[in-house]
Amino acid sequence: TVVKTIGDAVMACFSRVDEALEAVRDMNRKLADDMRAVPLTLKASLHAGPCLAVNANDRLDFFGTTINLAARMVSCCQGGDLVVSDELYYRPEMREFLKQCNTMPEPSDVRFRGFNEPRRIWRVELGLPKVSATQP
């Protein structure tokens, strides 16, 4: 479910980890297949945890440190990749996803604004072709 858009960013909520992972892969595949004169880059991050759900103005919205971390993690992306939290990295769905990508994730400890301690994140190269600009 799309929760909100902020500029050109989209925040979505998934009820299953495997659906979130597949959505990221599908978005990157479709973007790579799209022939554009100006290439676009998708940056994606996933995190799992508790949050506060609020229904305001007939719209569902989510708040809390889980949401804040998920939003800040996207800054660690290079484009065409996926950054996941340590909490998500150890889930069985992630193990299966990594087998399908045939890649080794790169761990990093990052200090994010609003968090006292560094957080472990994992950058996953999705193994899809890079989108490049075509000459007119």
Side-chain angles (χ1 to χ4, degrees):
T1 301
V2 172
V3 176
K4 59 184 153 189
T5 59
I6 306 161
D8 60 358
V10 175
M11 180 164 284
C13 180
F14 295 86
S15 58
R16 294 179 28 188
V17 172
D18 59 333
E19 290 175 349
L21 292 165
E22 193 58 36
V24 170
R25 186 183 3 242
D26 285 349
M27 288 184 287
N28 274 282
R29 277 189 189 139
K30 288 176 182 170
L31 192 57
D33 290 344
D34 192 5
M35 299 304 218
R36 293 187 178 270
V38 178
L40 299 175
T41 302
L42 178 65
K43 296 181 177 184
S45 63
L46 295 174
H47 177 48
C51 63
L52 177 64
V54 175
N55 196 353
N57 299 324
D58 296 324
R59 296 197 59 165
L60 188 60
D61 203 351
F62 297 87
F63 298 91
T65 57
T66 296
I67 305 306
N68 294 338
L69 181 58
R72 289 183 177 100
M73 284 172 35
V74 77
S75 67
C76 299
C77 291
Q78 297 175 6
D81 56 353
L82 167 64
V83 171
V84 299
S85 65
D86 208 38
E87 291 85 350
L88 196 71
Y89 179 75
Y90 292 102
R91 299 280 302 258
E93 300 93 335
M94 191 69 204
R95 296 278 146 235
E96 184 59 34
F97 181 79
L98 291 172
K99 284 182 199 173
Q100 294 169 12
C101 290
N102 195 26
T103 186
M104 289 298 298
E106 301 169 19
S108 307
D109 292 320
V110 180
R111 284 183 110 32
F112 292 104
R113 182 176 51 87
F115 292 85
N116 294 333
E117 299 296 323
R119 299 297 302 252
R120 169 70 46 105
I121 56 137
W122 299 82
R123 185 178 161 276
V124 179
E125 184 64 47
L126 295 175
L128 299 170
K130 295 290 183 194
V131 180
S132 60
T134 58
Q135 297 297 322

